[in-house]
Amino acid sequence: MTDLLERLLNFVRIVEAYKTVGGCVSELTPSAKLGKVARSRKHVDKGMLLLSCLTAFLATFLTSLF
C-alpha cells in the first residue's frame, strides 16, 4: 500500500512539473510565427480514414477467425 502511495505521489509531482514547464514554454513562444497564418481547421482525408478503418476491422476480424 505504501508503494502505491509513493508512486501516486511521484505521478502528481511529474504532472505538476509538466504543467509548470508547459506554462513557461507557452509564455516564451509566440502563438503564430511571423509571416504564417494559423489554420483554423485541419484537413481530414475522409477516404483514407474510411480505408484505414476498414483494413483495421478486416485484419482484426480475419485474425479472430483464424
Side-chain angles (χ1 to χ4, degrees):
M1 186 70 176
T2 306
D3 294 333
L4 179 64
L5 291 175
E6 288 178 13
R7 288 183 183 183
L8 184 61
L9 181 62
N10 287 337
F11 177 74
V12 169
R13 287 180 185 160
I14 290 170
V15 169
E16 287 176 351
Y18 176 77
K19 286 184 179 181
T20 304
V21 169
C24 292
V25 169
S26 66
E27 289 176 1
L28 295 176
T29 57
S31 60
K33 293 183 180 180
L34 296 177
K36 290 190 177 183
V37 178
R39 285 188 187 180
S40 61
R41 202 173 73 151
K42 290 185 178 180
H43 172 72
V44 177
D45 186 2
K46 293 186 180 186
M48 187 60 75
L49 181 66
L50 182 62
L51 180 65
S52 297
C53 290
L54 180 65
T55 55
F57 169 74
L58 286 176
T60 306
F61 183 70
L62 293 175
T63 303
S64 65
L65 283 178
F66 180 66

